[in-house]
Amino acid sequence: MTSTFIILLFSQVALLLQGLPRAVSLQSPSVEATKLGCPVDTDIAPCICTVDSATAEINMDCSAVLGESELKRIFATDFLFPDLHKLVIQGTEIDPVPIQTLEADTFGKVSFNHVVISNTDLRSVASSAFANSFPTIETMDVSNNRIPFFPFEILAQCEKLTTLDIRNNVLEHVSLLHSNSLRFFDASGNVGLQYEDEVFQTAPMLEVINLSNTNLGHIAPLTFAYQQRLTTLDLQGNSIDYLYANALKFMSSTPTTVNLDNNRIGTVEKDAITGLAAGSILQLKNNMLTDLPQDVWEDIFILLQGTATIELDANLIECACNIKWLVGNSVYMDTLGDGKECDDMTSIHDPSLINFINQHC
Ligand SMILES: *[C@@H]1O[C@H](CO)[C@@H](O)[C@H](O)[C@H]1NC(C)=O
């Protein structure tokens, strides 16, 4: 009786195995499906092409390429669907991808919506390298390369481009940005960057401008006055020592965070900082302010009225009768954040200082 049962069981299992298609037990079923739309793997190796099964977007990762001639050969292959979604060529800080130039024909007939070329040896980008992508490109991340000159003139033709991240290159100059779509511009970490005073006047949609750590020495009047949607201006870690009238005149209808931390600002002229919308924040930590003259600063405190919306930590302010106008006004004192603003490393919020000023001034 037991042996009959075992034979029966075996025959059941055998039947079951016969009924299964052989491929299922050998490989996962979805591998072939995700490659629809990509060229043959071997034609584009070492690039890897993948297709998002939900959106049908075709993406290429070419982080393993050994140079621009290889890149050119790969993009010269026949792409049945040349409208790629995203290109990634990304190395690491210690192991950058060894491509140096992008030429007019590097990408063949292919176009992209998003490009990330980061941590590579890239040092030259032809203005026509992305010509096929002008109508489609939305974001371009070319950070952490060795680019001294970027063809900023292409922006006028890239009508969907919202983001240009070119931080940590060796960029020497930014020419006028002509764009009605650009919202995020990051050129931080390009030490010694020069730019025209009118650089941003023709890019009115900018929301975020980052020029931190570029060794910037001065800000020309009205440099940021043309951005009505500005939310973030990052100028920290520069060499700015003096703010002239209208240098930071804003016309934005949105609250803006203005970061001037870690500069050498010693003097702020009257009307240097104007036009900030309610809710804006002014960061001036670690600068060289020695005084807060009422005729200059009271307007700024009225403008930024709020809770800790002005940060002056780590300055060299002489804290005596000169700041009576400030310590005597509770709204202004709320507006000033905590910090050691005074030249003797004390805080303007220090109760004994406030008592002293109230008694003696
Ligand atoms: C600006 O760039 C610096 C350096 O790249 C970075 O640390 C900082 O977070 C950036 N600021 C903003 C607002 O993104």
Side-chain angles (χ1 to χ4, degrees):
M1 202 174 127
T2 321
S3 63
T4 319
F5 176 71
I6 288 170
I7 289 165
L8 214 96
L9 194 75
F10 265 114
S11 60
Q12 289 287 326
V13 171
L15 262 176
L16 205 74
L17 280 175
Q18 266 179 6
L20 286 173
R22 197 184 284 175
V24 170
S25 58
L26 294 178
Q27 64 178 124
S28 90
S30 59
V31 171
E32 286 306 312
T34 58
K35 285 298 191 178
L36 176 70
C38 287
V40 179
D41 280 354
T42 47
D43 286 352
I44 57 165
C47 293
I48 297 164
C49 177
T50 54
V51 177
D52 185 311
S53 54
T55 59
E57 289 162 349
I58 307 169
N59 301 308
M60 284 275 278
D61 188 322
C62 292
S63 302
V65 292
L66 295 174
E68 44 275 354
S69 53
E70 190 170 43
L71 209 53
K72 193 165 152 180
R73 172 187 58 76
I74 288 162
F75 283 101
T77 57
D78 198 17
F79 282 77
L80 278 178
F81 304 97
D83 57 331
L84 305 192
H85 181 65
K86 186 173 184 178
L87 169 70
V88 174
I89 305 177
Q90 191 158 30
T92 62
E93 207 173 314
I94 50 161
D95 192 13
V97 182
I99 54 162
Q100 297 196 5
T101 61
L102 298 178
E103 287 155 18
D105 55 356
T106 300
F107 296 117
K109 297 193 173 76
V110 168
S111 69
F112 310 103
N113 300 110
H114 304 278
V115 168
V116 178
I117 302 178
S118 187
N119 281 305
T120 78
D121 287 335
L122 188 63
R123 57 196 67 189
S124 164
V125 180
S127 55
S128 51
F130 292 102
N132 293 324
S133 303
F134 287 168
T136 55
I137 191 84
E138 293 168 44
T139 66
M140 195 180 269
D141 173 354
V142 287
S143 62
N144 297 290
N145 298 302
R146 297 162 197 266
I147 304 170
F149 301 103
F150 185 83
F152 289 106
E153 69 275 11
I154 69 173
L155 266 57
Q157 295 174 72
C158 300
E159 293 183 1
K160 289 186 177 168
L161 187 70
T162 61
T163 303
L164 180 58
D165 182 351
I166 190 161
R167 68 186 196 277
N168 299 332
N169 278 274
V170 291
L171 206 58
E172 292 173 13
H173 187 254
V174 183
S175 53
L176 303 189
L177 302 179
H178 285 275
S179 173
N180 287 319
S181 56
L182 197 65
R183 291 162 54 200
F184 306 95
F185 179 72
D186 189 341
S188 63
N190 289 282
V191 179
L193 185 68
Q194 308 277 320
Y195 60 83
E196 313 289 319
D197 293 346
E198 300 82 15
V199 59
F200 298 117
Q201 289 189 10
T202 44
M205 304 309 262
L206 278 169
E207 294 169 24
V208 177
I209 298 174
N210 195 340
L211 294 172
S212 68
N213 305 306
T214 55
N215 205 24
L216 199 64
H218 88 289
I219 306 169
L222 307 180
T223 302
F224 309 104
Y226 297 83
Q227 282 65 48
Q228 294 198 9
R229 303 184 178 194
L230 194 66
T231 61
T232 307
L233 175 61
D234 196 336
L235 298 172
Q236 64 178 308
N238 282 300
S239 317
I240 303 163
D241 53 6
Y242 197 103
L243 292 180
Y244 296 91
N246 292 320
L248 294 171
K249 181 184 173 80
F250 297 98
M251 303 280 267
S252 179
S253 50
T254 53
T256 307
T257 297
V258 181
N259 191 335
L260 291 159
D261 290 349
N262 304 313
N263 276 278
R264 299 183 197 151
I265 298 167
T267 308
V268 176
E269 280 189 358
K270 187 168 169 56
D271 295 328
I273 304 170
T274 59
L276 287 163
S280 294
I281 294 174
L282 177 63
Q283 298 169 310
L284 268 162
K285 295 191 290 286
N286 199 17
N287 274 280
M288 302 181 89
L289 293 170
T290 54
D291 195 7
L292 298 174
Q294 182 172 9
D295 67 328
V296 174
W297 282 91
E298 189 159 28
D299 289 344
I300 300 173
F301 274 82
I302 292 169
L303 189 66
L304 286 157
Q305 240 174 81
T307 305
T309 47
I310 298 181
E311 299 174 14
L312 296 173
D313 187 24
N315 273 277
L316 303 169
I317 298 164
E318 185 187 276
C319 293
C321 292
N322 55 320
I323 56 167
K324 184 175 166 47
W325 68 271
L326 173 57
V327 300
N329 185 307
S330 63
V331 174
Y332 299 166
M333 287 300 271
D334 282 347
T335 298
L336 179 67
D338 282 333
K340 298 186 170 73
E341 300 88 3
C342 306
D343 58 358
D344 60 357
M345 300 283 285
T346 57
S347 169
I348 293 179
H349 288 284
D350 185 339
S352 51
L353 172 70
I354 295 171
N355 266 340
F356 205 83
I357 289 174
N358 286 338
Q359 290 283 323
H360 294 278
C361 302

